[in-house]
Amino acid sequence: MTVAAHHVDQHPHSATDWTRLAVPGLLWGTSFFFIAEALDAFSPALITPLRILLGFVTLGLFPQARRSVPRSVMGRVALLGLIWMALPLSMFPFAEERVSSSVTGMLNGVTPLFVAVVAAVIHRTMPSRQLQVGLLVGLAGVVMISLPTLGEGSSSGWGVAMIMLALVCYGFALNLAVPLQQRYGAIPVMWRAQGFALVFTAPLGVFGLTESRFAWHSLFAMIGLGVFGTAIAYVVMADNAGRFSSTRASASTYLIPVVALALGVLVRDEPVALLAVVGSAVALVGAVLAGRSRR
């Protein structure tokens, strides 16, 4: 894991670059399966602080984590911990009490839409025609994914709403992560951001302890979620954002629906509506169009 990149290389060139781009999507695709497994025993309020704690401890094992980061940017690092971890990661366990891990993963495939839109806003440019088309196509896919779930009642509707709000947070977070990663390195920034996120979510975890029980498979799921989905995936994604740009790095999330759908259906035996699967493909087309747009 390279900890610093001082320029944005817009185009991956080597097999290593493509592998680097694929890693976060593959790991985050498993995260929704791990969350579903953890929910068998742990309260949704406990899952997020526990996964962040495990991620924080894992990153702390790397000597690079203790590289100096100026106090003057700690406000932005804290904000990154809030909008990239504390808020969205807290929403997913509560959402998965209402919708399946497969649907959650399929909806996450539209993350590049939000990243591209936020990037256009930050740079104060009109979204390109391709971005506008991608946004419309992607939203149509989101509707198709959501419709079968929304038909299950208002509780499922709240689950979808929480997922979409989490994706909006991701759109801002990836754009915020780029300059921080480029200047100070991925591991030092993410370790501190996870420290702030742990402080933000600790009260939720204390509350969740009383609502949880112990199960080995849930504990193993939490270890996978913390080490791979919270430590490694976040560092690689932050490094990719600084190396390739936030929009291009977010293309990794195209893999999330594929992995989440496969694990949800094949391992957890979750029913998935055909309309949702088609909608996932439509949403990915929209995300690809948005991710390839030029300002």
Side-chain angles (χ1 to χ4, degrees), residues 48-49 51-52 56 73-91 166 169-170 172-174 176-177 180 188-202 230 234 238:
T48 297
R51 73 177 288 185
I52 293 174
F56 180 75
V73 301
M74 283 302 170
R76 280 183 285 166
V77 175
L79 179 60
L80 187 64
L82 178 67
I83 65 174
W84 203 5
M85 298 170 197
L87 287 178
L89 297 188
S90 294
M91 294 178 200
C169 290
Y170 282 166
F172 284 95
L174 263 176
L176 175 63
L180 290 171
V189 169
M190 297 312 299
W191 187 55
R192 287 164 175 80
Q194 288 183 0
F196 282 114
L198 184 58
V199 172
F200 295 148
T201 58
T230 311
Y234 270 93

Side-chain angles (χ1 to χ4, degrees), residues 106-180:
M106 286 189 289
L107 287 173
N108 268 260
V110 300
T111 299
L113 291 177
F114 296 100
V115 175
V117 170
V118 170
V121 172
I122 289 175
H123 293 281
R124 298 180 182 179
T125 58
M126 282 293 294
S128 67
R129 183 175 296 276
Q130 186 170 345
L131 176 54
Q132 295 176 38
V133 172
L135 182 60
L136 291 174
V137 173
L139 290 177
V142 168
V143 171
M144 294 170 70
I145 296 170
S146 304
L147 277 177
T149 299
L150 294 176
E152 297 173 4
S154 59
S155 177
S156 298
W158 279 110
V160 171
M162 284 188 281
I163 294 168
M164 299 310 295
L165 183 57
L167 299 187
V168 172
C169 290
Y170 282 166
F172 284 95
L174 263 176
N175 285 285
L176 175 63
V178 170
L180 290 171

Side-chain angles (χ1 to χ4, degrees), residues 109 112-113 130 134 254 283-293:
L113 291 177
Q130 186 170 345
Y254 299 153
L284 287 177
V285 170
V288 169
L289 290 173
R292 291 181 176 176
S293 65

